[in-house]
Amino acid sequence: MSGVTASAPGKLMLLGEHAVVYGHPCLVTAVNQRIHVTVEKNGKDVFYMEAPDLGLNAYSKTIENLAIKAPPPAVRFVEHLYKRFLQRWPQREGIIVKTKSEFSSAFGFGSSSAVSVAFAKALTSLYEINLNNDELFELCYQAVLDVQGVGSGFDIASAIWGGTIYYVPPAQVVRRVAIEELPLVVGYTGIKADTPTLIRMVQSLHADEPEMVEGWFTQIAGLVNKAEKAMGEKRWDELGKLMMKNQSVLRELQVSSVELNRLNRAAVKAGAYGAKLSGAGGGDCMIAVVQTEVRAKVEKAIEIAGGEVMKVELNAEGARYE
Ligand code: MEV
């Protein structure tokens, strides 16, 4: 029996991280590194997955044992999602899942959200179940919560809708920001950060100092709203300033790091309009808004400061069938 293939993009947080976990808006753009997932029926009571790019070969489990013992990281989201799917739409036979990733091995831009969305899109189509974007979001977000317990779902929304979106969790608002280009440089610190750990750090700060932290979140939300407008009007200098302010609040939240601060400083010194961390913090990536004339200089400065410049196209297309 022939299968169905779907793909979904990675994502890059622009502004609003952490505050978005508490119901505030964020801005996120999809990146053109995609994961392709093929799903076919196998006629057996077994879930089988091959994801060589994610370090997983010939993994199999009987359907009744799905997601009972913690699955390995590469299969976690897919396995939980499949279990949720079967609870809602029971099937007699299992599936074969194969993935192909275009993500760089150094830094993934959110491979778990991309793999979840591409899998859910291919799987539902295989069984001729038509889900709109909101329903697809619900299925995938549920699986993320099953696995991580925390998260705003912004990465799932980005993988589904693509482009650049203004997002209020959990997909209460998903609004496309009408831009053709996004003049950003992306620098990777070389340090992998663990998002759930950072979310929990902020949670404990929030529990200790609720009023102060809520105040910071409100400030972040204000910056996100202004940034949406600035982007729509192509006022990149203004976007840079707003990112700098967002970065100051993220430093107060203690999620920035020595390396991120160093790369941000280098970018701004080399002429960027502004720079900030992107994502949970603690490492991973920073972004800088640049004019074309200074792009090369900013990239060089980031490299000299110890970062790796990630060549990615932004504002990429959302999930699609292949
Ligand atoms: C992580 O990339 C962004 C956070 O806001 C977490 C989330 O929104 O799920 C820290």
Side-chain angles (χ1 to χ4, degrees), residues 92-149:
R92 285 174 185 280
E93 59 182 333
I95 50 169
I96 299 173
V97 182
K98 289 184 184 157
T99 73
K100 204 161 85 346
S101 167
E102 295 168 1
F103 281 43
S104 99
S105 55
F107 180 75
F109 289 112
S111 59
S112 43
S113 45
V115 82
S116 304
V117 168
F119 171 63
K121 200 166 171 75
L123 178 68
T124 47
S125 162
L126 183 70
Y127 289 100
E128 291 170 15
I129 296 160
N130 277 324
L131 298 187
N132 64 27
N133 282 353
D134 289 314
E135 292 162 335
L136 194 62
F137 175 87
E138 212 181 296
L139 178 64
C140 296
Y141 186 46
Q142 202 47 254
V144 169
L145 293 183
D146 289 342
V147 174
Q148 294 188 165

Side-chain angles (χ1 to χ4, degrees), residues 13 17-18 20-21 151-152 154 195 199 279-280:
M13 178 68 96
E17 47 273 270
H18 289 291
V20 66
V21 178
S152 67
F154 83 104
T195 299
I199 294 179

